[in-house]
Amino acid sequence: QVQLVESGGGLVQPGGSLSLSCAASGSIFSINALGWYRQAPGKERELVATVTSGLITTYGDSVKGRFTISRNNAKHTVTLQMNSLKPEDTAVYYCNADQVYMFIDGRVQFTGYSYWGQGTQVTVSS
């Protein structure tokens, strides 16, 4: 099992900045894709940003140029730096780990699961 613990959410004024962090724990060998998704009330969960172990990044259109995702492969952590925040960025932000290789019974095995954190609230309001 992989546990994802997020931190860094909160209340910020429009135009402000916030940083979210997520740490993955468990018998992890490697994680190919780490990312952030968000879900606002009454809306579907949407992609914010992902980063692969090779540091290839993907961003949702609404956050391009404002958000930056980064990761530490050795520590299995991912960070989302959010700048120029807008009220429409208000949502619960979820950390995701996908394509995970774990140590199971003494061997490295591909789990095939996509893991999610519990979510952290980000509110952008004056």
Side-chain angles (χ1 to χ4, degrees), residues 42-123:
K43 295 187 177 181
E44 294 186 353
R45 190 171 296 188
E46 65 174 358
L47 167 72
V48 177
T50 63
V51 56
T52 69
S53 56
L55 304 182
I56 297 172
T57 58
T58 302
Y59 293 93
D61 288 341
S62 61
V63 306
K64 286 179 180 176
R66 299 187 298 123
F67 292 10
T68 302
I69 191 169
S70 60
R71 66 182 284 173
N72 183 314
N73 284 334
K75 296 182 177 180
H76 306 309
T77 59
V78 61
T79 298
L80 183 70
Q81 177 63 40
M82 304 184 292
N83 297 328
S84 302
L85 282 161
K86 305 175 181 179
E88 50 264 42
D89 293 318
T90 296
V92 178
Y93 284 69
Y94 296 92
C95 180
N96 174 259
D98 199 24
Q99 301 172 43
V100 180
Y101 290 81
M102 299 188 69
F103 292 104
I104 301 174
D105 296 331
R107 298 183 299 155
V108 174
Q109 296 187 44
F110 179 64
T111 65
Y113 294 113
S114 186
Y115 298 90
W116 294 92
Q118 79 284 356
T120 185
Q121 177 70 45
V122 172
T123 302

Side-chain angles (χ1 to χ4, degrees), residues 31-44:
I31 305 172
N32 186 35
L34 281 168
W36 292 92
Y37 293 74
R38 68 187 182 186
Q39 187 166 18
K43 295 187 177 181
E44 294 186 353

